[in-house]
């Protein structure tokens, strides 16, 4: 007998455990709306843990392996007993999936009368003010942008949300979006003529009134750190906060608890000032001359570095670097603009806003300049990052644990952190220590998949070292017979964009030479979403990508049967933030490699490996071309954190797996090196 839609799960007699047992039962409410629904014990256990956490306003760190069903495991208790719930995700894609698919399914199954809202960052909503201003400027030199602008204008007239994801006719990466959306810096707020009809404000008002709010990590941390006015009331109203894809949180927290100022901010300000000044304050002021002077100083600041890309700490800069004199010149030009803007602040609300914005920008550049020249604060690292057309100045905290702990303690609510990759061999220390969660209840719910029969881990027996110039060519050569055996259906995950381009070039030439009809999809050729859609549609494609394809990608079935990883994903040792963190750890008597670099690489590799088996019927081969996995002292620690695939060093065995004829009986015995690793208790416990 199945549970009916009339069951009142909110007031059901008995404990939460009993209610959850009935809900997740094979004959329960999900059996009525999900084809082939069945009980997953790990899902039920996790749901019970979430319910206890909600009831006690406690903290839970939960790793749920692929196939556990973690989304329903936290949604059911959250919707029933969570009060005001905020669910934060790592990507807009998962945000939309939760809002459009998962939450409606659970709400329907439970007949739960909860209201749900979706809230994204400002740049995801059309701004009526900047749309009008952009249209007033006339057509663009690129006719496609003119067509896109007209499409957005029509969309703004009929849309109730203004969410750009609902307008399929304009690509998400089109430059036009930057012209018709607002930012915290350029929004006039309540002074705007369109404030009452603003899509952003409508979304926020709905968010405050809803029982369940779906946001993303960036937006939530903007609220958590009170950096974005107008939504700081979200968190104090929450009874339950759930972080999905929580493995991304330490880096997101570091971004928002640090400070960044960029020449891009200057160029954006100049563009807005020029448009507004010429339109509404022409009275003898030479706006073009003033703006051009500031733009020149911003360009000169970028040109301090002649390379196409630079990432350096202040300590790595030459003693006679022209960076600081160039910063002083930029500040002088900014102050000149501020003086002019203040003189015209009464002309329009936007010129007054731009005066405040310019002042804030000048203060940010000055603060970085002062801190970089005189600060010896070991809690932060000061560094610069130069791109093709911009320069960013960073002040980054080396640890966010203390600040994040204070933020959590200030709010009496349930905190739930979940992902498929949070632990290393069942140990949560690395993740928890980065966020100050050491005393939280933590548990792993293993994947229900039978990895030993569904997949093989193949480590090629090669002599090429990962740091040699010919390594990418070696990876491509290894990939060819595997791609042929699998019939395409492959991801090649690289640690650098340079490797992506080298491997893609090699494969393209070999596919043509062998007359193989495997569509090749390469990161950078088109937007990520488009590449994935075309890969899925092809059925026998080969996709070559870097970091953005290591996580958040779900390709089920035979369309993806082979995942090849070129190298263990260690961060570059010369990265300024990493170098400073290692220095800090070693000053505390710790091992920078074992205590930080290795755990970070393991968690990243787990994400990449997780692309292969997404369903209980999936089969495939995971190839890791980096022989350090089996030859290094730390290799055992890495592969023990991966899914328990059968293992092989034989190309022939790996290829035969695709035909079902591989004769793999089980895990091979450990090598002498692995046996040696087993005795190294310092590394096992690091």
């Amino acid at each position: 007998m199945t549970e009916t839609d009339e069951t009142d799960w909110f007031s059901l007699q008995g404990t939460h455990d009993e209610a959850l047992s009935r809900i997740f039962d094979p004959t329960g409410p999900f059996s009525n709306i999900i084809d082939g629904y069945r009980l997953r014990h790990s899902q039920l256990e996790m749901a019970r843990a979430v319910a206890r956490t909600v009831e006690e306003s406690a903290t839970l760190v939960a790793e749920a392996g692929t196939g556990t069903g973690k989304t329903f495991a936290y949604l059911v208790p959250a919707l029933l007993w969570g009060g005001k719930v905020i669910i934060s995700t790592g990507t807009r894609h998962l945000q939309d999936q939760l809002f459009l698919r998962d939450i409606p399914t659970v709400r329907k199954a439970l007949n739960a009368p909860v209201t749900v809202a979706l809230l994204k960052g400002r740049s995801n909503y059309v701004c009526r003010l900047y749309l009008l201003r952009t249209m007033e400027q006339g057509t663009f030199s690129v006719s496609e942008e003119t067509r896109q602008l007209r499409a957005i204008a029509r969309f703004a007239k009929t849309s109730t949300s203004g969410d750009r994801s609902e307008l399929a006719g304009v690509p998400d990466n089109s430059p036009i979006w930057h012209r018709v959306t607002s930012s915290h810096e350029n929004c006039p707020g309540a002074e705007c003529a369109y404030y009452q009809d603003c899509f952003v404000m409508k979304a926020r008002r709905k968010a405050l009134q809803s029982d369940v709010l779906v946001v993303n990590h960036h937006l939530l941390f903007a609220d958590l750190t009170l950096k974005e006015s107008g939504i700081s009331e979200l968190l104090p109203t929450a009874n339950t906060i759930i972080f999905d894809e929580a493995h991304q949180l330490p880096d997101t927290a570091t971004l928002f608890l640090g400070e960044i100022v960029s020449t891009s901010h200057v160029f954006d300000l100049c563009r807005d000032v020029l448009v507004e000044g010429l339109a509404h304050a022409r009275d003898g002021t030479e706006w073009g001359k003033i703006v051009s002077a500031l733009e020149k100083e911003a360009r000169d600041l970028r040109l301090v570095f002649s390379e196409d890309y630079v990432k350096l700490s202040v300590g790595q800069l030459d003693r006679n670097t022209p960076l600081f004199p160039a910063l002083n010149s930029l500040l002088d030009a900014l102050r000149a603009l501020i003086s002019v803007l203040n003189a015209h602040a009464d002309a329009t609300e936007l010129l007054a806003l731009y005066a405040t914005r310019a002042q804030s920008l000048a203060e940010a550049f000055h603060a970085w300049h002062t801190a970089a020249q005189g600060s010896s604060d070991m809690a932060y690292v000061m560094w610069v990052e130069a791109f093709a057309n911009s320069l960013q100045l960073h002040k980054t905290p080396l640890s966010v644990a203390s600040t994040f702990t204070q933020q959590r303690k200030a709010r009496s609510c349930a905190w739930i952190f979940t992902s498929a990759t949070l632990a290393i061999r069942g140990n949560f220390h690395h993740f928890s220590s980065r966020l100050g969660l050491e005393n939280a209840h933590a548990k792993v719910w293993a994947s229900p998949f039978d990895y030993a029969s569904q997949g093989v881990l193949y480590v090629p027996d090669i002599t090429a070292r990962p740091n040699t110039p010919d390594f990418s060519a070696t990876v491509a050569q290894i990939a060819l017979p595997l791609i042929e055996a699998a019939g395409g259906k492959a991801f090649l995950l690289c640690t650098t964009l340079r490797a992506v381009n080298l491997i893609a070039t090699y494969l393209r030439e070999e596919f043509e030479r062998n007359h193989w009809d495997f569509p090749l999809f390469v990161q950078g050729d088109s937007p990520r979403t488009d590449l994935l859609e075309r890969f899925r549609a092809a059925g026998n494609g080969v996709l070559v990508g870097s970091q953005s394809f290591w996580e958040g990608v779900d390709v089920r079935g035979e369309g993806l049967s082979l995942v090849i990883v070129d190298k263990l994903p260690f961060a570059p040792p010369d990265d300024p933030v990493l170098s400073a963190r290692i220095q800090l750890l070693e000053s505390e008597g710790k091992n920078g490699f074992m205590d930080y670099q290795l755990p970070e690489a393991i968690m990243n590799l787990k994400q990449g490996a997780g692309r292969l088996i997404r369903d209980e019927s999936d089969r495939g081969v995971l190839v890791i071309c980096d022989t350090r996995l089996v030859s290094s002292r730390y290799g055992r620690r890495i592969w023990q954190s991966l899914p328990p695939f059968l293992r092989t060093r034989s190309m022939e065995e790996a290829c035969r797996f695709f035909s079902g004829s591989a004769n793999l009986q089980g895990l091979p015995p450990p090598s002498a090196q692995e046996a040696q690793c087993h005795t190294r208790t310092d590394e096992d416990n690091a």
Side-chain angles (χ1 to χ4, degrees), residues 604-617:
N604 202 354
L605 184 62
K606 285 176 67 176
Q607 282 290 331
R611 298 315 98 208
L612 182 62
I613 304 298
R614 307 299 299 174
D615 191 87
E616 60 186 8
S617 62

Side-chain angles (χ1 to χ4, degrees), residues 268-285:
D268 288 345
L269 173 67
C270 288
R271 183 199 67 209
D272 292 342
V273 166
L274 184 61
V275 170
E276 188 69 10
L278 291 177
H280 300 284
R282 282 183 172 272
D283 54 351
T285 302

Side-chain angles (χ1 to χ4, degrees), residues 450-464:
D450 183 6
Y451 286 108
S453 66
Q454 290 182 252
V456 170
L457 168 60
Y458 166 46
V459 181
D461 188 7
I462 58 177
T463 58

Side-chain angles (χ1 to χ4, degrees), residues 458-510:
Y458 166 46
V459 181
D461 188 7
I462 58 177
T463 58
R465 304 293 295 168
N467 59 350
T468 56
D470 61 343
F471 185 75
S472 292
T474 301
V475 171
Q477 291 165 7
I478 290 168
L480 285 173
L482 292 160
I483 290 171
E484 182 182 23
K489 308 172 185 177
F491 271 12
L492 276 82
L493 302 179
C494 304
T495 54
T496 65
L497 287 173
R498 181 176 181 274
V500 168
N501 295 327
L502 288 172
I503 291 173
T505 299
Y506 186 95
L507 292 181
R508 187 175 289 109
E509 293 172 353
E510 289 299 305

